[in-house]
Amino acid sequence: MVDRDLASIVGMNNVITNPEILRKYSRDYSFATPKNPICIVKPANVDEVQAIVKWANEKHVPLIPVSSGEPHFRGDTVPSTENAVIVDLRRMNKIIRINRSNRVAIVEPGITFQELQKELNKEGMCAYMPLLPRNTKSLLASYLEREPITMPGIHFDSTDPMLCVEIVFGTGDRMRTGEAAGPDPLEKQWEIGKAQISSFGPTQMDPQRLVSGAQGTIGIVTWMSVKCRFISELRRAYFIPSVKLEPLIELSYKLTRIRFSGNIFILNGLNLACLFKQSAGEISALNQNLPPWIMFVSCEGYGPLPDEKVQYLEADLRELAAQYGLLPVMEIGGLSAHELNNMLDKPCPDPYWKLRLKGGFDEVMFLTIQGKTPEFAGIMEELAKQQNYPPDNIGVYIQPVVQGTSCHCEFDFYYNPASQAESDKTRLLVALTARLMEEKGAFFSRPYPELAEIAYRRSRDTAEMQKKVKNIFDPNGILNPGKLCF
Amino acid sequence: MSWENYEHDMQRCTRCSYCKYIPWRFIKNFDFMEGCPSAARYNWHAYSAGGKFNIGYSLLKEKIEINETFLDVVYKCLMDGSCDISCKVGQDIEPLQHMQELRIKCVDEGYLLPQHQPFIRNLRKEDNMMLKPRSERGDWAKDLPVKRATEEKVEVLYHAGCRYSYDQELWPVARAGLTLLQQAGVDVGIMGEDEACCGGRAYELGYVGEMTKFAEHQAETFRTAGIRTLVTPCADCYATYRVLYDKIGKKLNVEVYHITQYLEKLILEGKLQPKKSLPLKVTYHDPCHLGRLGEPWIHWNGKEVKVPGVLMWLHDPPKKYRRGTFGVYDAPRNVIKSIPGLNFVEMYRIREYAWCCGAGGGVIDAYPDFAEWTALERLREALSVGAEAIVSACPWCKRVFKDAAKKNGNQIEVLDIIELVQQSV
Amino acid sequence: MKLTADEYRALEDIVGPDYITQDPVIMESYNQVWGNKLAFGDKRHNPPAAVLLPGSIEEIQKIVKFCNKAGILFKASARAFEYVATYLSSERGILLELKRLNRILEIDEKNMHAVVEPYVTVYQLQDAAGRVGLYTGKPGVGYSASVISLACCHQEMTISQIYTSGYGRNVLGCEWVLPTGDILNLGTSNREGGWFSGDGPGFSLRGILRGRAGANGGNGIITKCSVKLYPWYSDPPTMQPLERKPGEALSAAQLARIPDNYKAWVFTFPTTEQMLKASTEIGQAELACIVAPAYMATGFQEEGNDEMWTKMKEGKMEDPNKIARSVPVFINGHSARELAYREKAVMAVVKKWEGYLDPDLNNPKIMAQRFQYQMWSTGIGGLRATGDFMVSIQGADGSTEMQLKFRPIEVEAFKPFRERGYIVQPNMGMSYRPMEHFSLGSSGGIATGYDPWDPESLAAAREYMNLVYDPNGPFRRFGYTNRGAMMQVEAIEHIHERWGPIYDHADKWLQKVRNMLDPNRVADWSGYIPPEYESQKKKSAS
């Protein structure tokens, strides 16, 4: 019996077969068809993970690794096949190390942003944050998924802030990447000053790139070292409102080009309202009073002479914004930029800000270049009109990434999941949006199951190669089958 | 130093390929980054100086023999020295001298390029490299009222050189050079049909014996005629007399000037006054033999030494490498700049790292298509800086540029500095 | 057996007769590179069977497919200025010199990337990018390095990597002819919307393209690549004024002064540790575009070796003990305010750690020379001395603390060699390149000089290398050893076979990836990993 086999590895208490719980794990907020897993298994350490994976190979049982608590939204952590086992990694919830001098932390999968931030703060540091992640979100999973962080200036590479990882491949073999590889366990590495920050290799491969964006199909990551930053001693933040998106994009280009440090992103009024307000009524009301587009920029004073740093950043920001006819302000529609800046350091206090408006949402997100986002926004607007989809139910989030060389462009579709009509309408619009955006050059580098087919339409060569890679690291195809192109 | 003695240099070529380009820090336009015409024209690394070090090394180690390909690689080279200059920005090895010795070895061992044979035969028989009879040598100055240095003492000998002596189309320039000296009151004479080749071009083909013979002949002739100062309008002759004779231990007891140096001197002394304005946009082409190859020879007789604890190739006594620094670059430019009305613009590859005209190394004789290609490249560069005329200071440059200019529709005028001065005084 | 006549003809049919040769004389110019003596015991290694100059990706594909069919090894190179570039693991091997693929296809100024072909050099790109206010970092080897070789196939350790990153992290896409001859476009490569991402969909195949080093030609041929560019606030290098006095050699021509919008200093500290702490603080505050602890390199000093020795004898060289406590710091600023702040902030950090400006190290002329060398290059200074040098262990990348622990071990290991004097490490201090504002630590390594043509020096160099390569030796714990970008020849040095097992069996995975990419074993593995070790062959034979 599966549960007995697994219980011999993790102990009876850590194998869940309760049907109610299984049902919860079978589904999420996405439109994926629910499939009950056989059980949930909760390993406590990498040895147990290895044993589980080796067992799964023998028994040809699919494994779905999950690091975050619910709610889940994207379909990547629910089974796509029958008879799968969920590997819930949340028992592995240690902060293995915080090393201030190298601005690095090592965390296990079960650590959330909140938990790490709390400990980092004690050391005068904080984590690089995506835009208000949900409070149950695993930090490790977020970085693995390549969720964009809000500070593009230091986002050198798509994998940032991820550094080294320990992986259990689909074969059950364990590997540590980058500087973490070697003859010593971590503790002994620390003795010789190693801090698991050099992320390359070992040798002539970068295995950590093979698990980044892989949705658990190549290996299970059992810890990750992550870049952290020093807390700013002084900070000031600004909204930059605009009727049109284009001038904000020009300013964003300029700021990212000069590697302006600090938060930089653009939201439409609705998404900004959703960040601040809790209830649908408040959100809607606020949205009416906000400009169509708002850029958020923070001037972060870390390092020497923080006052002077912030001063010059502010002056430069004002000057640059003026070139595009824009004016940075500290308040807008009663909202404080400073307050938002503080919010950004933490996860969302309630389950998730995207649930606030209608209780449900779906996303279309892709990479593009900053300059194309107005075109995509225009396409979205047109498409929503055609489909009679209320524009006030569509949030937009534009996040420059990789130091502005590309851009995460996201459309959030808010709907009431209890309403079949709204669900259907949203599902249709999501499919149409994805298809149309892809035709216009959107690059779905994070293809969650719903949109995987569209994502791979022009990447058949990538799919072919990924299958070959998977054949090396997970030859029996037991890791999260049905995701990506597998 | 014989070819085998360059084993050190062959070993220590790192294959950086810097020999193919002008020194990187001097690149102004990547369309004109190449310095070595052979490497630019011919596809294989062997055609570069570094490649020749490689095949030289393999020859030394008896892995290959001299054959048709070997000769092709060795002789499809203008011996212009651009590689040498670029290499020596960062290395202490001698690419050009190695290639010279390789040619000498080929000739000594009887590996003779057939295309060169008529020229060498004519040199031996008629004392010139132009396939012409000796008797016609003085025709360029036939009706010019000028002293014959063989008959009367002169202060300055004007040595025309083979190209000027026999290339009728270029006679006006040779004559103009002489006339300018006379105009400036210089007591100048010529050898006329008694003038002989300097032997320099033969040397560059590997015929060191021929040049030695001519060096001895010239020394004796000049001594007999009491020549103290020699002025030549030919850069090849300049380099031969000034540098190569010294190199082989036959240094002349004569002060050697290129015409541009002498004109500069006369202009500074006020004896020539360029007055007439010439409204023309010009660029100056540094002839290899006046520029980097015109740098005086440095004799060194020493050995490589090791200093304990210091891992560097050192020499005892210290060896001063010729890196092209002391070639003649400024005199021609000063002359051009002294002419009113001229708008002078530099090309991208100039001075020590100038692109060759295409006439050197026996290429104009053996591989005229390569010579033409090289010249066309240079004209393209001149046009790219907006020049209406390319000005040089050597008849070989002028000849090859003129022929190439005809090929591309005469988009640019080809002048010698002498012509500019002549038009302006 | 090299190539049969039919095989040669088939290849000739692909590229045309002008672009292929197997002439033995010509082949001898494709088998002699610096470093050969150390690896092979001679200046020469075996020549290739043929050299080809393909003119297009279509030709490359056809060549590679033919190699698969005929069982011919292939390897591509740009300028081939390093020894594993021309070496082939079998005499039935051909070189593809990519000199005909030499275009900068695109510089996307707004989105800050360039798409280039293999023969485009760093300096070319620095100049072209500089014209639109962008920059790409300068590697140790300098001007002539191929952008693609650096980013995809080899190393990409740059002096400015504190600011411009490296080791493949700037790759935003590439067009890759696989060892099978199929084409793989990473991410958005070759798409109309632009080459802005090389990752996905899903996980990134950059993971098998390269790691700390690239495959050195062993996993196919990159025919185009998109690389990230960085802000540049001055004129491009070809427009910077150079100064040279009459009578000075070309090598003396140097930047007249530090460009506007940049400032450069060398700070000296009472101890190395203080220097490193200051460097780290400056770096972590994102103040600098170059922080190069103990890396004083200015490029060539003096015209030649003899002149250099004279200067050394006159005591005019920089004191190595001082160098070990000094750090060049360059800053830039898009605005006068930014530059002013950064300067003030740097000075504050320097003051905090008791640093000062030593006038000898801050001579304006030398500083301008240093700027020129570290931003663009002036050539490869290390090769003039004797024609080769080694880097000591590479792969010891990481934190300052680790470097501090590592260095005494290296000093101790080198001590007997220093005493014997046949090989030298001229710099007593650490010299390393921090990366991404120190968030990835620093790359380690120090140049060791030796004379390949002095038998005692060569023997000592080999002995030292063996020590560096010994997995049970003093460097075992610090990083996967290699002679810089995995430049060792695996068949000779067996690094993967010896170190892989103690580094999480990285070699096993790499070998699987290699064999997956190249099932017919036609992509040369000399600077990569062999399809099978000799020991594996023997095992399967028995």
Side-chain angles (χ1 to χ4, degrees):
Chain A
M1 294 287 295
V2 167
D3 52 340
R4 271 212 290 270
D5 289 346
L6 293 171
S8 70
I9 298 170
V10 300
M12 273 311 305
N13 291 343
N14 297 308
V15 180
I16 316 285
T17 52
N18 179 308
E20 264 312 300
I21 298 176
L22 294 185
R23 211 180 77 85
K24 276 192 182 170
Y25 279 83
S26 74
R27 66 192 62 220
D28 65 7
Y29 276 80
S30 75
F31 294 113
T33 307
K35 289 181 169 45
N36 273 2
I38 304 174
C39 64
I40 319 299
V41 62
K42 297 186 172 189
N45 53 55
V46 65
D47 296 326
E48 290 183 2
V49 171
Q50 277 190 280
I52 291 166
V53 171
K54 284 176 180 160
W55 167 86
N57 272 277
E58 279 171 40
K59 306 291 184 186
H60 295 280
V61 173
L63 300 177
I64 320 296
V66 176
S67 306
S68 306
E70 54 179 7
H72 299 111
F73 298 107
R74 294 177 177 144
D76 52 326
T77 50
V78 295
S80 301
T81 56
E82 304 291 348
N83 301 319
V85 167
I86 303 278
V87 182
D88 188 330
L89 298 162
R90 285 181 292 164
R91 278 183 73 211
M92 297 173 69
N93 60 357
K94 284 198 291 297
I95 296 172
I96 296 172
R97 192 191 201 212
I98 290 176
N99 175 223
R100 185 191 154 82
S101 63
N102 289 294
R103 298 177 299 168
V104 64
I106 307 178
V107 297
E108 288 188 332
I111 290 294
T112 63
F113 282 97
Q114 181 133 341
E115 287 161 347
L116 182 61
Q117 285 292 47
K118 188 168 152 223
E119 298 307 314
L120 285 176
N121 288 170
K122 293 176 189 169
E123 300 280 341
M125 293 201 286
C126 53
Y128 288 104
M129 298 291 292
L131 182 65
L132 249 66
R134 67 181 194 275
N135 59 15
T136 55
K137 182 74 185 186
S138 154
L139 179 142
L140 180 151
S142 171
Y143 290 174
L144 261 191
E145 284 176 54
R146 298 202 295 260
E147 283 199 321
I149 57 173
T150 54
M151 292 186 169
I154 57 81
H155 195 228
F156 278 89
D157 183 88
S158 60
T159 52
D160 271 346
M162 179 172 94
L163 292 169
C164 306
V165 287
E166 178 180 71
I167 311 169
V168 175
F169 290 123
T171 53
D173 293 297
R174 187 187 75 135
M175 183 186 204
R176 295 160 303 166
T177 70
E179 198 193 336
D184 292 331
L186 287 184
E187 296 76 12
K188 284 233 164 270
Q189 292 183 15
W190 301 335
E191 282 172 17
I192 58 168
K194 286 185 143 196
Q196 296 76 40
I197 49 176
S198 177
S199 63
F200 311 100
T203 81
Q204 293 152 298
M205 266 178 64
D206 266 347
Q208 96 277 23
R209 293 192 189 279
L210 301 180
V211 292
S212 157
Q215 296 176 24
T217 57
I218 297 294
I220 298 177
V221 175
T222 50
W223 61 251
M224 178 191 285
S225 62
V226 301
K227 286 186 185 180
C228 304
R229 63 180 181 92
F230 293 131
I231 289 176
S232 302
E233 287 180 47
L234 173 68
R235 46 193 340 208
R236 274 206 266 278
Y238 293 89
F239 294 120
I240 305 171
S242 178
V243 171
K244 289 188 145 328
L245 182 53
E246 284 83 346
L248 293 181
I249 293 300
E250 291 305 308
L251 178 58
S252 178
Y253 264 130
K254 186 68 194 188
L255 293 175
T256 50
R257 187 186 183 92
I258 62 175
R259 306 300 194 258
F260 194 92
S261 58
N263 293 299
I264 303 173
F265 56 85
I266 297 170
L267 301 172
N268 71 345
L270 177 64
N271 264 357
L272 185 63
C274 287
L275 287 182
F276 271 92
K277 298 298 181 187
Q278 297 282 341
S279 75
E282 286 175 311
I283 292 169
S284 300
L286 177 56
N287 188 25
Q288 302 308 314
N289 288 325
L290 289 175
W293 299 103
I294 306 100
M295 185 174 199
F296 179 79
V297 178
S298 72
C299 303
E300 303 288 335
Y302 50 84
L305 312 171
D307 287 18
E308 297 188 42
K309 180 173 182 186
V310 170
Q311 222 173 41
Y312 102 76
L313 287 172
E314 285 181 304
D316 276 356
L317 175 64
R318 271 193 291 272
E319 204 169 270
L320 291 168
Q323 283 176 19
Y324 305 103
L326 299 166
L327 180 69
V329 294
M330 286 180 155
E331 274 198 3
I332 192 164
L335 304 179
S336 155
H338 182 72
E339 188 185 335
L340 178 55
N341 211 19
N342 288 337
M343 283 159 62
L344 292 175
D345 287 341
K346 306 180 197 57
C348 191
D350 50 312
Y352 198 29
W353 59 273
K354 292 185 186 177
L355 295 172
R356 291 171 181 169
L357 182 62
K358 301 280 272 176
F361 74 96
D362 204 346
E363 303 157 317
V364 168
M365 62 175 88
F366 51 84
L367 290 182
T368 180
I369 51 175
Q370 296 185 73
K372 274 203 84 154
T373 52
E375 182 188 337
F376 286 122
I379 293 171
M380 187 72 257
E381 196 182 324
E382 204 39 56
L383 194 52
K385 223 185 277 178
Q386 281 172 21
Q387 297 297 315
N388 270 327
Y389 199 94
D392 285 350
N393 285 1
I394 302 178
V396 186
Y397 167 39
I398 294 169
Q399 177 64 64
V401 294
V402 193
Q403 296 181 310
T405 56
S406 57
C407 173
H408 165 96
C409 184
E410 177 182 313
F411 298 98
D412 302 310
F413 305 91
Y414 301 116
Y415 71 99
N416 178 1
S419 158
Q420 191 60 48
E422 283 191 40
S423 299
D424 291 345
K425 200 165 182 140
T426 302
R427 192 172 187 176
L428 176 62
L429 183 58
V430 162
L432 287 171
T433 303
R435 191 161 292 281
L436 188 53
M437 299 300 188
E438 198 277 332
E439 280 168 18
K440 296 292 182 185
F443 178 55
F444 288 85
S445 86
R446 296 163 58 198
Y448 292 105
E450 216 172 311
L451 303 179
E453 195 229 312
I454 292 171
Y456 279 100
R457 209 164 65 89
R458 268 191 269 216
S459 300
R460 304 236 186 273
D461 52 348
T462 294
E464 283 312 306
M465 184 55 68
Q466 286 178 331
K467 287 172 185 163
K468 290 178 183 173
V469 171
K470 182 153 168 85
N471 201 40
I472 293 172
F473 294 98
D474 181 27
N476 292 319
I478 51 125
L479 289 180
N480 216 353
K483 305 301 190 296
L484 299 184
C485 55
F486 306 126
Chain B
M1 201 162 89
S2 76
W3 170 72
E4 292 82 3
N5 290 319
Y6 285 94
E7 185 177 3
H8 159 132
D9 296 50
M10 297 178 222
Q11 286 169 340
R12 285 153 182 176
C13 169
T14 60
R15 208 187 195 281
C16 69
S17 286
Y18 279 26
C19 49
K20 299 175 182 171
Y21 310 103
I22 68 171
W24 287 83
R25 78 185 77 175
F26 293 96
I27 296 172
K28 293 277 177 243
N29 181 331
F30 281 90
D31 252 354
F32 300 105
M33 66 186 280
E34 276 147 336
C36 171
S38 307
R41 171 90 165 141
Y42 300 106
N43 289 324
W44 311 111
H45 183 70
Y47 286 87
S48 66
K52 279 175 251 207
F53 272 136
N54 297 157
I55 66 171
Y57 188 72
S58 297
L59 182 70
L60 191 69
K61 297 300 168 189
E62 296 176 2
K63 301 294 181 188
I64 53 174
E65 289 173 346
I66 298 175
N67 60 12
E68 202 179 309
T69 306
F70 197 97
L71 288 177
D72 196 74
V73 170
V74 166
Y75 281 104
K76 274 179 177 157
C77 165
L78 294 155
M79 295 297 282
D80 58 280
S82 164
C83 54
D84 198 73
I85 296 304
S86 290
C87 176
K88 285 170 173 172
V89 171
Q91 293 287 4
D92 286 351
I93 54 180
E94 298 273 13
L96 184 64
Q97 297 313 315
H98 167 254
M99 294 193 300
Q100 177 67 68
E101 291 302 325
L102 206 45
R103 287 182 172 210
I104 292 171
K105 176 183 170 66
C106 287
V107 166
D108 282 354
E109 293 179 11
Y111 297 101
L112 308 177
L113 203 67
Q115 299 94 307
H116 288 158
Q117 298 319 298
F119 297 92
I120 297 298
R121 277 196 294 271
N122 200 75
L123 179 68
R124 287 174 182 150
K125 190 161 168 254
E126 304 288 345
D127 290 349
N128 71 79
M129 292 282 285
M130 296 293 294
L131 301 178
K132 297 277 191 184
R134 185 196 168 113
S135 57
E136 290 174 17
R137 183 131 190 157
D139 289 359
W140 68 277
K142 218 167 17 192
D143 52 354
L144 273 183
V146 61
K147 287 182 183 179
R148 288 298 194 262
T150 44
E151 292 161 15
E152 46 185 315
K153 191 142 179 2
V154 296
E155 284 293 320
V156 170
L157 174 66
Y158 185 76
H159 176 92
C162 295
R163 175 51 66 176
Y164 270 135
S165 295
Y166 290 102
D167 190 332
Q168 202 162 346
E169 204 185 350
L170 304 186
W171 283 355
V173 183
R175 292 159 69 93
L178 177 59
T179 309
L180 281 170
L181 297 182
Q182 290 173 320
Q183 216 174 311
V186 177
D187 177 23
V188 59
I190 62 173
M191 292 284 181
E193 75 171 46
D194 291 319
E195 184 182 282
C197 180
C198 62
R201 292 180 76 82
Y203 175 77
E204 279 186 358
L205 303 188
Y207 294 86
V208 62
E210 299 308 318
M211 188 178 80
T212 307
K213 279 193 300 209
F214 280 100
E216 287 165 356
H217 167 83
Q218 302 289 38
E220 184 54 28
T221 306
F222 296 161
R223 189 191 67 76
T224 311
I227 305 296
R228 284 275 169 265
T229 304
L230 181 149
V231 175
T232 177
C234 174
D236 268 43
C237 297
Y238 171 79
T240 304
Y241 289 134
R242 185 90 163 79
V243 181
L244 293 180
Y245 282 10
D246 188 5
K247 179 184 177 186
I248 61 168
K250 304 284 179 192
K251 184 174 178 173
L252 288 175
N253 191 14
V254 165
E255 220 173 321
V256 176
Y257 287 90
H258 185 265
I259 186 84
T260 54
Q261 293 174 299
Y262 215 80
L263 289 174
E264 184 195 28
K265 180 167 117 65
L266 294 173
I267 291 169
L268 282 170
E269 290 169 357
K271 293 178 182 169
L272 277 178
Q273 294 178 23
K275 281 199 174 122
K276 186 163 168 221
S277 175
L278 302 182
L280 192 63
K281 191 168 182 185
V282 304
T283 191
Y284 174 65
H285 164 83
D286 291 276
C288 303
H289 290 88
L290 183 60
R292 56 180 168 255
L293 299 181
E295 184 175 43
W297 188 256
I298 301 174
H299 288 280
W300 177 78
N301 228 337
K303 55 187 194 308
E304 204 176 273
V305 294
K306 272 193 277 221
V307 173
V310 177
L311 269 181
M312 268 200 300
W313 310 319
L314 297 170
H315 302 92
D316 181 28
K319 180 176 175 181
K320 179 85 178 160
Y321 282 77
R322 294 168 71 233
R323 304 185 202 263
T325 313
F326 298 103
V328 178
Y329 308 109
D330 292 314
R333 286 173 168 79
N334 292 338
V335 171
I336 291 173
K337 287 173 189 169
S338 73
I339 297 171
L342 283 181
N343 179 4
F344 176 53
V345 291
E346 292 274 18
M347 287 185 280
Y348 301 111
R349 296 173 291 191
I350 59 171
R351 303 178 70 98
E352 290 101 319
Y353 51 90
W355 179 262
C356 181
C357 68
V363 165
I364 199 173
D365 311 310
Y367 307 106
D369 59 321
F370 179 27
E372 182 183 272
W373 177 88
T374 306
L376 280 169
E377 267 301 293
R378 192 53 155 169
L379 296 185
R380 185 174 74 89
E381 187 178 354
L383 286 166
S384 78
V385 298
E388 294 166 299
I390 182 167
V391 180
S392 189
C394 176
W396 295 93
C397 299
K398 188 165 163 100
R399 167 46 57 206
V400 76
F401 283 152
K402 272 183 87 72
D403 290 346
K406 260 188 235 145
K407 263 278 157 78
N408 76 354
N410 285 318
Q411 294 171 47
I412 192 164
E413 213 178 333
V414 178
L415 297 171
D416 192 283
I417 285 185
I418 293 169
E419 294 173 276
L420 289 179
V421 176
Q422 181 199 34
Q423 288 173 40
S424 182
V425 297
Chain C
M1 183 198 49
K2 295 212 173 211
L3 302 181
T4 65
D6 284 343
E7 286 166 348
Y8 186 83
R9 251 194 308 277
L11 291 168
E12 190 181 62
D13 284 344
I14 298 171
V15 295
D18 288 344
Y19 297 114
I20 181 172
T21 182
Q22 59 180 0
D23 189 296
V25 171
I26 308 287
M27 293 302 98
E28 290 296 317
S29 63
Y30 287 92
N31 63 350
Q32 302 180 40
V33 198
W34 69 286
N36 272 5
K37 186 84 170 151
L38 185 64
F40 308 113
D42 189 15
K43 181 75 193 289
R44 298 173 65 254
H45 56 65
N46 284 335
V51 178
L52 287 73
L53 307 180
S56 67
I57 186 177
E58 290 76 21
E59 286 185 5
I60 290 173
Q61 261 197 297
K62 283 181 187 164
I63 292 166
V64 171
K65 286 187 167 158
F66 180 75
C67 287
N68 273 271
K69 202 166 132 195
I72 298 169
L73 213 63
F74 75 88
K75 179 191 277 186
S77 74
R79 278 167 182 72
F81 177 32
E82 67 93 343
Y83 61 94
V84 293
T86 57
Y87 177 72
L88 288 153
S89 305
S90 155
E91 65 166 7
R92 260 176 79 72
I94 61 173
L95 287 179
L96 277 61
E97 190 178 19
L98 302 178
K99 70 192 285 193
R100 295 169 69 199
L101 302 179
N102 60 1
R103 297 172 298 166
I104 296 174
L105 297 170
E106 181 194 350
I107 294 186
D108 186 332
E109 190 211 329
K110 269 208 128 135
N111 297 292
M112 299 176 282
H113 66 256
V115 182
V116 298
E117 287 185 327
Y119 219 64
V120 172
T121 70
V122 167
Y123 194 56
Q124 248 173 298
L125 183 56
Q126 285 176 335
D127 189 63
R131 284 162 202 273
V132 293
L134 294 169
Y135 176 74
T136 186
K138 174 242 160 177
V141 77
Y143 300 111
S144 64
S146 150
V147 172
I148 285 185
S149 294
L150 291 174
C152 301
C153 313
H154 193 52
Q155 180 159 244
E156 202 191 8
M157 188 207 291
T158 63
I159 318 290
S160 57
Q161 64 189 26
I162 191 168
Y163 176 68
T164 59
S165 194
Y167 295 160
R169 279 169 74 86
N170 291 318
V171 172
L172 298 178
C174 67
E175 176 186 81
W176 182 357
V177 178
L178 298 167
T180 52
D182 299 315
I183 295 179
L184 175 62
N185 283 297
L186 295 193
T188 64
S189 305
N190 266 323
R191 290 195 196 183
E192 215 180 279
W195 296 58
F196 57 83
S197 173
D199 304 306
F203 63 85
S204 178
L205 293 171
R206 285 163 68 198
I208 58 170
L209 173 68
R210 62 164 292 161
R212 167 61 168 73
N216 293 311
N219 64 3
I221 302 172
I222 308 300
T223 46
K224 295 187 184 78
C225 177
S226 173
V227 291
K228 176 148 62 99
L229 298 172
Y230 292 80
W232 177 252
Y233 301 127
S234 179
D235 287 331
T238 57
M239 289 172 61
Q240 301 278 350
L242 293 184
E243 250 178 12
R244 178 167 66 123
K245 291 202 201 87
E248 280 186 332
L250 288 174
S251 58
Q254 62 154 93
L255 202 60
R257 58 185 189 81
I258 308 284
D260 291 340
N261 302 322
Y262 287 82
K263 296 214 173 187
W265 310 273
V266 172
F267 297 111
T268 306
F269 296 81
T271 65
T272 298
E273 187 152 0
Q274 281 165 281
M275 180 274 283
L276 288 170
K277 290 252 193 280
S279 300
T280 305
E281 212 170 300
I282 290 168
Q284 289 182 340
E286 298 156 27
L287 298 171
C289 55
I290 283 192
V291 173
Y295 187 71
M296 304 302 279
T298 57
F300 291 106
Q301 293 184 50
E302 307 309 312
E303 226 178 270
N305 287 345
D306 287 324
E307 290 85 349
M308 187 71 174
W309 175 230
T310 303
K311 184 173 173 180
M312 287 163 73
K313 281 188 294 188
E314 289 169 4
K316 289 183 180 164
M317 298 301 295
E318 288 151 356
D319 171 10
N321 288 311
K322 200 197 288 185
I323 291 172
R325 298 179 278 116
S326 301
V327 53
V329 174
F330 302 174
I331 63 170
N332 63 9
H334 81 94
S335 68
R337 278 185 214 107
E338 180 162 70
L339 193 65
Y341 163 74
R342 285 178 171 170
E343 179 172 358
K344 201 168 173 188
V346 163
M347 294 304 173
V349 173
V350 168
K351 186 173 174 195
K352 174 180 164 186
W353 293 103
E354 299 177 88
Y356 57 94
L357 285 166
D358 185 307
D360 288 340
L361 298 180
N362 285 279
N363 172 296
K365 186 173 145 100
I366 305 284
M367 279 312 299
Q369 200 181 13
R370 185 169 285 123
F371 186 94
Q372 179 179 3
Y373 178 73
Q374 298 201 11
M375 281 302 194
W376 304 305
S377 186
T378 55
I380 319 103
L383 287 175
R384 187 176 72 192
T386 60
D388 192 12
F389 65 92
M390 303 182 287
V391 274
S392 67
I393 181 166
Q394 281 213 331
D397 305 323
S399 73
T400 304
E401 292 89 341
M402 190 270 279
Q403 298 285 354
L404 278 169
K405 290 217 187 294
F406 169 74
R407 184 59 185 142
I409 295 174
E410 187 174 29
V411 169
E412 189 56 35
F414 192 72
K415 195 164 157 214
F417 297 94
R418 175 171 289 115
E419 282 162 5
R420 280 150 57 191
Y422 296 123
I423 58 178
V424 297
Q425 285 183 352
N427 190 348
M428 290 294 294
M430 272 183 282
S431 164
Y432 65 111
R433 326 261 171 99
M435 200 157 195
E436 293 183 13
H437 305 304
F438 278 87
S439 60
L440 265 64
S442 304
S443 313
I446 185 167
T448 302
Y450 81 105
D451 184 350
W453 300 98
D454 175 335
E456 281 163 327
S457 185
L458 181 65
R462 287 221 168 99
E463 199 184 321
Y464 182 62
M465 271 289 110
N466 285 340
L467 182 65
V468 170
Y469 289 170
D470 180 3
N472 296 313
F475 306 117
R476 173 186 170 89
R477 301 168 69 192
F478 288 95
Y480 206 102
T481 198
N482 66 99
R483 191 197 143 150
M486 308 304 293
M487 269 204 282
Q488 67 285 342
V489 179
E490 185 61 23
I492 295 172
E493 268 108 12
H494 312 292
I495 302 294
H496 284 304
E497 194 171 0
R498 294 153 75 194
W499 285 73
I502 58 168
Y503 274 78
D504 292 56
H505 298 283
D507 66 312
K508 165 180 128 176
W509 299 110
L510 187 65
Q511 202 171 52
K512 286 180 192 243
V513 166
R514 194 226 89 84
N515 290 338
M516 174 273 288
L517 289 170
D518 183 22
N520 292 324
R521 303 184 176 189
V522 291
D524 180 73
W525 53 80
S526 45
Y528 192 31
I529 187 166
E532 265 181 319
Y533 301 133
E534 285 306 314
S535 56
Q536 286 170 318
K537 279 188 206 165
K538 285 178 190 151
K539 213 171 171 181
S540 39
S542 64

